[in-house]
Amino acid sequence: MTSPAHSARLARSVQPPQPLALYGPDFAADPHSHYRQLRAHGPLAPVRIAPGIDALLVTDYQAAVDLLRDTHTFTKDPRAWQATVPADSPVLPMLGYRPTALFSDGDVHARYRDTINDSLALIEPHVLRAEVTRVARQLIREFAATGSGDLVAQYARRLPLHVFTTWFGVPPEDSERIVDGIGGMFNSAEDSAAAYADLVTVVTELVAERRARPRRDLTSYFLGHPAGLDNDETVRQITLVMSAGHDPTTNLIGNALLHMLTDARYAGSLHGGAMTAHEAINEVLWQDPPLANFAAHYPRHDTEFHGVRLRAGQLLLVSFAGANTQSPPAPSDPGVRSGGSAHLSWSAGPHRCPAKQPALLIAMTAIEQLTSQLCDAELAVAASELMWRPGPFHRALVHLPVRFTPLDVTGDTALSAPSEVSISR
């Protein structure tokens, strides 16, 4: 017969672990210690992504691949889950339903996805590289003579912003509202809803103007796509592309530059050494991906997944950072594991990132331009003093201060707009 004391101990032993908070300064400062704790509980573990908002986080590589590919068991539509969440939750700008490719399945997803893919395909790589090179050089010139700079605020944040606003034809006076809206969404703080609302306002005005007067930019191409998106659908796809493109690309550039500045193997790279921007980017995508935890999925019905019972409509997130840094499984599936590209930072399955190649080209060109010009740059503070933006979804530096030998930029001009939009057709 089991004693009451033994029964109490047994009950405690089978209690699920308390959710681990993935927001706040502790998580931002050391996310990998959190992932190690979560992996100790198995392939899925409970987390808290905002006050009162819990989820299961997938930290196991194979479980992540299985989830990302299983469209039969899981849906991307969050509305059943969203009905259980307070309307003012700070995570809803990232996870709340909108009519976009990110939150849809099947034919609806294909319609939105085709619009995005076909429009992004108009950006020719050689034209994009030339534009990024031009902008990168001008941005570097703005602080090169001072011998110091913030490679996030003055470079990594501004370069993708300029490229994305140029692609979509955003008026220069609205560019900061775009990046502030995107940044507010990812921070998932109290002002996230207001930040997203302002982003939508800017894009809504842009779409209305282009509906009346089309131009040679991506906004006009979205509107003219054979899928026949209405104004609101167009606004939502554009805000999705902007938010998924700008902040992660900014973070990829910043994180890769930090990696090169702090990893001894890259010490010679700033002076033309063997380790390249491509290698730094690939290592960051494995170790510190700019979008660390996302890919929300919801069971269509009560089920079991990798030994864990799930409720219909329960929120599951994939930890790209946690899965990548787990010892990955044997290469049993060539479609998933292909040499150095086997990380999951671009996601997998039908919702894999549609802008992988443009994002890589932007980041690689930005890093190559900076390291070739500021070849003796070094951190201006100890790496331990760097601050990371809080939030459950991203891995993002607040600042990246450096010092270097000042450059003579006499006669150089300030950043200007290109003579025409960098899109070909």
Side-chain angles (χ1 to χ4, degrees), residues 41-329:
H41 297 295
L44 292 79
V47 295
R48 184 155 292 160
I49 58 175
I53 307 297
D54 293 347
L56 286 175
L57 188 70
V58 180
T59 59
D60 177 82
Y61 183 96
Q62 190 59 55
V65 172
D66 293 343
L67 176 65
L68 293 167
R69 290 183 157 189
D70 188 349
T71 59
H72 176 74
T73 307
F74 299 97
T75 177
K76 294 286 290 179
D77 189 326
R79 282 176 283 190
W81 166 81
Q82 190 173 339
T84 69
V85 175
D88 60 352
S89 172
V91 300
L92 286 182
M94 289 289 288
L95 299 177
Y97 175 77
R98 295 180 286 278
T100 73
L102 184 62
F103 302 112
S104 57
D105 306 300
D107 292 342
V108 175
H109 169 255
R111 175 171 172 258
Y112 293 148
R113 176 90 178 199
D114 287 348
T115 303
I116 293 171
N117 287 346
D118 294 345
S119 297
L120 292 180
L122 298 171
I123 304 167
E124 294 187 1
H126 74 279
V127 177
L128 176 58
R129 181 183 290 277
E131 174 66 1
V132 173
T133 297
R134 184 189 73 83
V135 176
R137 290 175 177 173
Q138 290 185 324
L139 289 174
I140 292 167
R141 288 168 188 157
E142 291 185 6
F143 61 87
T146 67
S148 65
D150 179 347
L151 299 186
V152 169
Q154 294 177 280
Y155 191 66
R157 180 176 181 263
R158 293 184 62 197
L159 195 155
L161 169 65
H162 188 86
V163 172
F164 274 88
T165 54
T166 298
W167 284 355
F168 285 100
V170 177
E173 61 270 21
D174 289 335
S175 61
E176 285 301 318
R177 291 174 65 190
I178 292 286
V179 76
D180 288 345
I182 295 169
M185 288 173 59
F186 276 89
N187 289 341
S188 299
E190 291 182 0
D191 62 348
S192 61
Y196 177 69
D198 194 50
L199 172 64
V200 169
T201 296
V202 173
V203 178
T204 298
E205 293 170 355
L206 175 65
V207 166
E209 200 280 331
R210 289 297 187 274
R211 179 73 78 180
R213 289 174 289 278
R215 292 175 57 182
R216 192 165 169 264
D217 55 31
L218 284 185
T219 300
S220 301
Y221 291 139
F222 270 67
L223 286 165
H225 190 273
L229 272 58
D230 63 27
N231 278 19
D232 184 62
E233 290 176 315
T234 304
V235 168
R236 302 300 177 168
Q237 307 322 306
I238 290 175
T239 56
L240 171 62
V241 172
M242 286 183 171
S243 58
H246 179 272
D247 228 51
T249 304
T250 293
N251 301 340
L252 180 56
I253 295 169
N255 294 358
L257 286 170
L258 174 63
H259 189 53
M260 297 180 77
L261 289 165
T262 55
D263 191 317
R265 295 172 302 142
Y266 290 87
S269 297
L270 302 181
H271 305 279
M275 300 295 280
T276 66
H278 179 271
E279 290 166 308
I281 287 171
N282 194 56
E283 291 186 350
V284 162
L285 288 170
W286 269 105
Q287 300 165 13
D288 264 323
L291 191 61
N293 307 296
F294 202 51
H297 286 73
Y298 311 86
R300 297 179 185 273
H301 46 76
D302 292 352
T303 188
E304 183 173 306
F305 179 73
H306 281 257
V308 178
R309 294 297 303 173
L310 303 177
R311 305 185 311 275
Q314 187 172 9
L315 171 61
L316 277 70
L317 297 171
V318 173
S319 178
F320 300 120
N324 286 348
T325 52
Q326 179 206 36
S327 179

